[in-house]
Amino acid sequence: MYPKTLLDYDSDTLKALLAELGMPSFRYKQIYDWIFKKFVFSFDRMTNLSLKERVMLNENFNGVVPQPASVFKDRDDGSLKILYRLHDDNAVEAVAIPAEDGRMTFCLSTQVGCAVRCPFCKTGESGLIRNLTVQEIVTQLIILLRYTGKKPTNIVYMGMGEPFNNREALFGSIDVFTDPSGLGMATRRITISTSGVIPGIEELSAREGEVNLAVSLHTADNDLRNKLVPINKTYPLDKLRRAIQNYTDLTGRRVTLEVSLLKDVNDGYHDAMNIASFCEGMLVHVNLIRFNYYKGSPYRPAAELTEKNFRKALKKEGVSVTVRKSAGSNIMAACGQLSDRSDG
Ligand code: SAH
Ligand code: SF4
């Protein structure tokens, strides 16, 4: 017996294991379809396999879907965070966020660690460890689905990692989620959050579908952004602005600009004015995310009054702005706290 569940193995190993059990190669695709298209997680229900094969799979694998290594439930808002241990012992987190209006948002990770290394983000602390595969991204959704008993109404790529630094697996997972014979998610219910990787924005703009774009702007001052979002040195603000504009021109969809206000760093009146000029003439919306403090961070969240004034100043300049602070959404910002350790 193999000690792990079926989805604990990467696809190449899995193909080899099935061959070892004497199964023809097309079985892999059939099993894959049961799991990823029909969301069937029991070998017994995979009825196009022979009875003998189903028994053999039950005997040889420890189930289909990995158990999360740990689960955290937020008592206040009902959101659920799982830690998923990968076959090489790395781990990533994924979050299910229910909302009162019945929406259920799943927040997924795309990488272990992140090469961008924004200094206010816990995921970036370790640098990039590795990219996730399509299977590992989709498995996060499956674990959340099994745990909550609900399919997501929305998917956001706002967990660990920079999605556009792992484009192949990112778009591969979107193809799985939107496959009409599977989950059939509408593309407009999916959002990718990027630190500003322009080739990714361009690829998304050229793709069919209506996948939403969120850009972690944080500041519209180039020097400050070089520090807060170091990828800005490669993709500076003027180029980023053009790429966003091109996306909105091609798709007609409004882009969300994420801004986390850090006390005495990017929360001044002039910072608000810089953002307002960046937004001028653009189809964008600013989302103020509360900074989530984590142990060891040199940053602190801006005071509530400062945040309020910041929002007012943007509004006065005609910028569409919201503060993300409803209960369920809180943990979205907590996405920025995700790390591969299980300390919460
Ligand atoms: N790498 C992508 C997506 C993951 S981060 C990106 O940066 O956009 C999701 C969001 O959380 C981003 O807007 C990010 O800037 C923000 N974030 C990171 N660390 C945070 C923290 N400690 N508190 C609040 N938001 C944070
Ligand atoms: Fe990477 Fe996003 Fe964290 Fe920056 S905020 S280090 S891009 S995960």
Side-chain angles (χ1 to χ4, degrees), residues 119-120 216-221 223-225 227-229 258-276 286-291 299-303 306-307 309-311 313-314:
F120 56 86
S216 300
L217 185 69
H218 300 304
T219 172
D221 175 304
D223 289 338
L224 182 57
R225 199 163 189 274
K227 293 190 194 104
L228 292 183
V229 189
E258 296 163 286
V259 177
S260 185
L261 290 181
L262 308 169
K263 187 172 191 294
D264 301 330
V265 175
N266 62 347
D267 62 350
Y269 180 75
H270 63 284
D271 295 300
M273 289 305 106
N274 280 337
I275 289 182
V286 172
N287 208 342
L288 298 178
I289 317 171
R290 193 146 191 83
F291 171 65
Y299 298 101
R300 296 291 181 276
T306 314
E307 188 182 82
N309 288 336
F310 201 95
R311 182 174 51 110
L314 285 178

Side-chain angles (χ1 to χ4, degrees), residues 131-191:
N131 280 336
L132 297 185
T133 61
V134 173
Q135 182 176 307
E136 287 166 335
I137 298 174
V138 178
T139 298
Q140 295 169 53
L141 178 133
I142 290 176
I143 295 175
L144 288 175
L145 193 138
R146 283 197 79 195
Y147 237 86
T148 58
K150 291 200 177 117
K151 286 187 183 173
T153 57
N154 298 71
I155 294 173
V156 295
Y157 289 90
M158 292 189 186
M160 295 164 63
E162 167 49 55
F164 285 149
N165 280 348
N166 184 14
R167 293 205 281 284
E168 203 179 319
L170 166 74
F171 291 125
S173 67
I174 291 177
D175 289 343
V176 172
F177 298 144
T178 53
D179 186 333
S181 64
L183 196 59
M185 286 284 296
T187 46
R188 61 175 189 284
R189 300 239 174 228
I190 299 176
T191 301

Side-chain angles (χ1 to χ4, degrees), residues 104-124:
M104 173 61 95
T105 302
F106 283 4
C107 172
L108 305 181
S109 297
T110 51
Q111 298 183 309
V112 184
C114 179
V116 181
R117 307 196 81 152
C118 307
F120 56 86
C121 170
K122 196 165 178 194
T123 305

